[in-house]
Amino acid sequence: MSKTQLTEMEEEARCFLGRFVEEFPAALEEGSPLPVSPLSCKVSLEELHGESLELGLRLLAARSAPSGLSALLCQAALSQLLKNDLSPFHCLQETEANQEEEEQVVLLQSEAVQHLFLNKLIHVALAWHKDLPKLSLSTSRISHCSVHSIKNTRRKMEDKHLALAEFNQLFGIQDEVERSYYAVFDGHGGVDAAIYSATHLHVALSKEETLQSDTSMAFKAAFKHTDDMFRGKAKRERLRSGSTAVAVLIHGQELTVAWLGDSQAVLVKKGQVVTLMNPHKPEREDEKQRIEDLGGCITFIGCWRVNGTYAVSRAIGDFDQKPYVSGDADCSTIPLLGDEDYVLLACDGFFDAINPSEVPFLVLDALQQTLDPDGGRDTPPEHSEDSVRQRVAEKLVGYAKAGGSSDNITVMLVFLRPLDQLLTTGAAQAT
């Protein structure tokens, strides 16, 4: 990054901090309403990490904070929060007659402890506004991402997603490897499992000791840990939902994808699809065999279902059908050579209507319609590159809906090359 770019980012940070401290010139008063609502009423100490970061990032994003600064502010505020004695926020234990003592988990009153977290965040912002320290403000080289979601014809929206280009900054990782994280979660039977996964999976991944040496192993462990954590919440709150997931970590010159269920990630390189994964479906022969070996069965009731219930064979949650619906993720890692175009992540609402082989042609069509409405080569003046990228994601969702999908649809595009190069490559492939 050039000195000029760094100066511009520092100036952007100072401008935002100035606006932020105008809105929050002092700590929130005790008992005052929070400017953003916590996800839960009660949280375990382990869940506090993910829920605080989610709350802080949501608060800052709503105020158009630079993403790199947001990550650093939240990381600093959480570090300060965890140094506090949190015992005053403990909930009274309600032991059920059939609950064993070792299963007791200390829960915190979420609104009260998040009030403290936000005051830590305000305190850091006030300090940095007065004297901006030397910060690692440079964002990842993979920072261009667009996403679009629709409820479609379903009664509820049960998809969730997360794009985190500043993975290292958010978790205070200071090695030489840049990391960016992207994930799509497709909930069923309610949105709780999808929300939980979007809040905690990346946190669990950041804590895995093998993250720097074996990313696939770290991902698998993080999925299992998130599933185990959600089991505790589901038991406490009598939740029955589940969620498929697909997550991508771009780390250095490698890309690792991890998945549970039928959400998918597709890599496009020089206009051609590179297969990253094989989605888990009940009718997949090895999945069918695994379930039958456990004593379960696959039946067709409108679609293939595990034991006549869920239409997914692997998911976070769905504890009434574990281990038939497995919580074990699969992973794959490939090298990045610099000629990759983009990664597309989407739920099955997209892939039910769109074959992965169609993705390059649809992205090219969407780009051409947006960038070259009159057959020219120049971006229309009313369109920034960011708005063009966003329109591509919107058009892809529209293609899936027009193709007959009635499910929730979420599409995330992580661009690995400039748009003009994508157009040139795509046009060459088309001819």
Side-chain angles (χ1 to χ4, degrees):
M1 175 174 291
S2 69
K3 187 175 181 180
T4 300
Q5 288 175 310
L6 185 58
T7 301
E8 289 175 352
M9 294 184 72
E10 289 177 345
E11 184 59 31
E12 186 182 18
R14 288 192 176 91
C15 288
F16 171 76
L17 290 169
R19 298 194 306 271
F20 188 79
V21 300
E22 282 184 9
E23 183 179 359
F24 301 102
L28 302 173
E29 294 182 1
E30 187 175 351
S32 63
L34 299 183
V36 60
S37 299
L39 290 177
S40 305
C41 294
K42 299 177 182 179
V43 294
S44 68
L45 186 59
E46 188 171 30
E47 292 168 340
L48 179 63
H49 195 156
E51 294 220 5
S52 296
L53 292 177
E54 190 278 339
L55 189 81
L57 291 174
R58 186 155 36 100
L59 174 79
L60 295 168
R63 288 155 179 79
S64 301
S67 58
L69 179 64
S70 291
L72 292 169
L73 283 169
C74 288
Q75 197 276 331
L78 182 66
S79 295
Q80 291 189 14
L81 175 70
L82 296 178
K83 293 176 182 177
N84 275 63
D85 175 15
L86 300 179
S87 61
F89 304 105
H90 288 184
C91 299
L92 293 176
Q93 291 285 358
E94 298 178 2
T95 306
E96 297 182 7
N98 61 347
Q99 196 170 22
E100 297 181 8
E101 185 176 347
E102 63 267 23
E103 293 180 330
Q104 292 297 304
V105 175
V106 174
L107 298 178
L108 307 173
Q109 301 168 23
S110 186
E111 185 166 349
V113 75
Q114 296 300 4
H115 193 281
L116 177 59
F117 168 72
L118 290 179
N119 278 341
K120 298 292 185 186
L121 184 64
I122 292 169
H123 173 77
V124 174
L126 288 167
W128 289 5
H129 175 60
K130 290 180 181 178
D131 183 17
L132 185 67
K134 185 177 177 63
L135 300 172
S136 176
L137 285 172
S138 58
T139 59
S140 166
R141 61 185 175 87
I142 312 298
S143 57
H144 298 301
C145 172
S146 66
V147 61
H148 190 62
S149 302
I150 62 169
K151 179 165 67 72
N152 211 358
T153 64
R154 291 297 176 92
R155 188 168 60 91
K156 295 181 179 180
M157 181 58 170
E158 296 177 331
D159 288 356
K160 290 294 173 182
H161 62 269
L162 179 64
L164 185 58
E166 298 80 15
F167 186 89
N168 287 357
Q169 288 93 329
L170 188 62
F171 298 113
I173 300 173
Q174 297 182 348
D175 61 6
E176 300 299 317
V177 179
E178 289 185 348
R179 293 179 182 85
S180 300
Y181 170 94
Y182 306 91
V184 169
F185 304 93
D186 183 358
H188 50 268
V191 74
D192 298 291
I195 291 175
Y196 198 89
S197 303
T199 304
H200 296 289
L201 177 61
H202 59 299
V203 179
L205 179 63
S206 74
K207 295 179 178 180
E208 287 298 327
E209 293 183 357
T210 59
L211 176 63
Q212 297 177 359
S213 59
D214 189 335
T215 306
S216 290
M217 182 181 293
F219 246 135
K220 289 180 180 181
F223 266 92
K224 186 178 188 309
H225 190 69
T226 303
D227 193 38
D228 289 341
M229 286 174 63
F230 184 58
R231 183 187 293 272
K233 182 180 179 69
K235 185 174 183 179
R236 292 193 305 269
E237 301 182 13
R238 295 175 172 82
L239 306 176
R240 293 177 57 85
S241 62
S243 179
T244 66
V246 60
V248 163
L249 189 74
I250 298 173
H251 47 111
Q253 300 302 313
E254 292 184 322
L255 179 153
T256 297
V257 58
W259 71 99
L260 281 173
D262 52 11
S263 294
Q264 297 186 55
V266 172
L267 175 67
V268 174
K269 175 176 180 174
K270 296 182 180 179
Q272 299 291 322
V273 170
V274 177
T275 300
L276 295 176
M277 53 169 288
N278 184 11
H280 303 121
K281 297 185 178 183
E283 64 270 28
R284 209 177 89 176
E285 192 56 41
D286 56 343
E287 286 292 274
K288 180 175 181 289
Q289 189 65 51
R290 176 184 64 79
I291 292 164
E292 290 177 347
D293 288 346
L294 289 168
C297 65
I298 302 298
T299 56
F300 190 84
I301 307 175
C303 61
W304 291 103
R305 297 180 181 272
V306 178
N307 296 333
T309 57
Y310 302 119
V312 298
S313 60
R314 299 198 190 195
I316 290 172
D318 293 336
F319 300 113
D320 59 321
Q321 289 295 328
K322 288 282 195 291
Y324 311 107
V325 175
S326 173
D328 295 331
D330 274 334
C331 297
S332 66
T333 297
I334 65 165
L336 295 175
L337 304 179
D339 54 359
E340 294 81 12
D341 299 331
Y342 51 84
V343 183
L344 180 145
L345 296 85
C347 62
D348 71 320
F350 177 77
F351 288 108
D352 283 347
I354 304 297
N355 190 286
S357 64
E358 300 177 83
V359 167
F361 306 101
L362 294 179
V363 171
L364 177 61
D365 184 63
L367 274 172
Q368 289 174 334
Q369 287 188 39
T370 305
L371 277 171
D372 304 325
D374 301 314
R377 298 301 300 172
D378 296 326
T379 302
E382 69 273 17
H383 296 334
S384 67
E385 285 216 354
D386 284 342
S387 69
V388 170
R389 293 186 186 95
Q390 185 57 36
R391 286 182 177 227
V392 172
E394 292 170 6
K395 286 183 178 295
L396 290 173
V397 169
Y399 293 148
K401 183 176 181 180
S405 176
S406 60
D407 200 354
N408 300 154
I409 305 173
T410 297
V411 171
M412 179 182 288
L413 276 167
V414 183
F415 292 90
L416 306 177
R417 289 211 281 175
L419 296 184
D420 57 349
Q421 292 185 21
L422 299 188
L423 272 173
T424 302
T425 301
Q429 290 293 331
T431 57

